[in-house]
Amino acid sequence: MLNHLNERPINPARVVILGARGFIGRALAEALQRACITSLPVSSVDLDLATENAGDRLAAMLQPSDAIVLLSALTPDKGRGLQPFLANIRMAASLCHALEQVTPAHVVYFSSDSVYPMRGSVISEQACAEPEDLYGMMHLAREMMVRSATKAPVAILRTTLVYGAADTHNSYGPNRLRRMARKDGKVMVFGQGEETRDHILVDDVAALTVLSLRHRSAGTLNLATGQSISYAELAKKVAALFDKPIEIVGTARQTPISHRHFDITDLRKAFPSFVFTPLEEGLAKAHREMMEQG
């Protein structure tokens, strides 16, 4: 769970966002701007953390009063093999090298629920982290690397499936289903869409991150809504947003049926007044933004 070093929320002096041009990074930058919190967005164009001497260059950018958010990562759509794993480890190593030179006020590391195995009924922060692939192992390794590299308080935020119109990963979820419906007039699900998953709007992820920054929180927290839905039901909700009829088609299953549910007791304790965007409302927002983008 998270422990708040600031009992009352206080704006950090500056938030350095590593991975600022990514899906969550952009949403976070916008949320910080709305909260009147100064930020320094850093993308791979500005500084590629996987390159040599990136740690020294990053250290030169940092100030002891900074809060640092590490979002930079090669996501599964870029591959789950050894090379993406090693590149992601190099990114974290660069941050760790910088942290050895400059101790900031706070560090937030964006991890993933992939650190948990697919088996098991309900996931909480007390569940054992047992990654089943290199992507999950990478996140667990980076969590340990960041924690060991600094004396600053570190918050580990493990996100479940994040959706929103600006998503670039096109993972199996609302983003892909919505795009298939628009392009092909049909939505394809694995099997009959029996799997259940938790989906969180990117705006809520950004808002929870801002709360963690303002409270200068330390510890581990799963970012999930606590409400899981089958892909069959999700496909129906996505299809209903279109004016034209959308066909829902089952396809040959590639993997066994699995389910994932979250116990969000720790999140409720950390941020008792936070209200998640209802799934129907979030899907409608993403749909509307997609249509406006053309």
Side-chain angles (χ1 to χ4, degrees), residues 16 19 21 30 43 108 204 207 209 216 218 234 237 254 257 262:
V16 179
R21 294 182 66 180
E30 292 171 1
S43 72
V108 175
D204 289 349
T209 307
R216 200 164 167 244
L234 179 63
K237 291 182 183 296
Q254 304 295 320
I257 296 171
F262 286 86

Side-chain angles (χ1 to χ4, degrees), residues 6-281:
N6 295 340
E7 184 176 349
R8 294 184 178 182
I10 301 172
N11 285 353
R14 185 178 70 164
V15 178
V16 179
I17 309 173
L18 303 176
R21 294 182 66 180
F23 177 39
I24 297 175
R26 292 187 181 191
L28 176 58
E30 292 171 1
L32 290 170
Q33 185 176 29
R34 288 192 298 271
C36 299
I37 298 174
T38 301
S39 67
L40 174 63
V42 181
S43 72
S44 59
V45 175
D46 306 309
L47 175 61
D48 184 348
L49 290 175
T51 58
E52 189 176 357
N53 299 324
D56 291 324
R57 293 173 59 195
L58 176 59
M61 300 179 182
L62 301 180
Q63 301 171 5
S65 58
D66 284 337
I68 304 170
V69 180
L70 178 60
L71 283 155
S72 302
L74 296 179
T75 48
D77 55 299
K78 303 295 193 300
R80 291 178 175 266
L82 182 59
Q83 293 309 312
F85 172 86
L86 293 174
N88 281 325
I89 293 298
R90 287 196 296 272
M91 293 180 202
S94 293
L95 171 60
C96 291
H97 182 69
L99 292 176
E100 291 170 356
Q101 300 178 58
V102 180
T103 301
H106 191 202
V107 179
V108 175
Y109 175 65
F110 260 83
S111 186
S112 163
D113 67 354
S114 62
V115 302
Y116 300 113
M118 287 306 301
R119 65 182 184 276
S121 56
V122 180
I123 296 172
S124 71
E125 288 76 5
Q126 288 69 50
C128 186
E130 297 178 280
E132 296 181 345
D133 61 14
L134 282 176
Y135 182 72
M137 184 61 72
M138 172 274 294
H139 272 299
L140 188 58
R142 296 200 336 171
E143 289 181 14
M144 298 176 69
M145 290 170 67
V146 172
R147 279 197 181 108
S148 64
T150 183
K151 295 181 179 179
V154 177
I156 304 294
L157 304 181
R158 294 171 173 169
T159 64
T160 190
L161 299 172
V162 184
Y163 71 95
D167 170 63
T168 57
H169 307 143
N170 208 38
S171 58
Y172 185 44
N175 305 312
R176 185 191 297 182
L177 302 186
R178 186 178 62 251
R179 290 163 184 162
M180 283 193 292
R182 185 184 188 190
K183 179 183 177 183
D184 304 322
K186 64 181 178 181
V187 170
M188 303 181 72
V189 296
F190 297 144
Q192 297 304 312
E194 299 94 335
E195 295 96 339
T196 51
R197 293 290 188 275
D198 193 312
H199 304 274
I200 184 170
L201 183 64
V202 67
D203 298 2
D204 289 349
V205 171
L208 287 165
T209 307
V210 172
L211 285 171
S212 300
L213 288 163
R214 298 187 73 207
H215 282 283
R216 200 164 167 244
S217 306
T220 301
L221 191 68
N222 295 329
L223 300 192
T225 69
Q227 300 294 320
S228 293
I229 184 175
S230 72
Y231 278 95
E233 289 300 313
L234 179 63
K236 291 177 183 177
K237 291 182 183 296
V238 170
L241 294 168
F242 289 83
D243 295 329
K244 61 182 181 181
I246 301 296
E247 182 183 7
I248 299 174
V249 181
T251 62
R253 180 170 297 285
Q254 304 295 320
T255 58
I257 296 171
S258 60
H259 303 285
R260 176 152 282 192
H261 302 270
F262 286 86
D263 176 350
I264 61 168
T265 299
D266 281 0
L267 190 149
R268 292 297 186 200
K269 289 180 179 178
F271 306 115
S273 62
F274 185 81
V275 178
F276 287 99
T277 303
L279 182 60
E280 290 79 3
E281 183 180 327

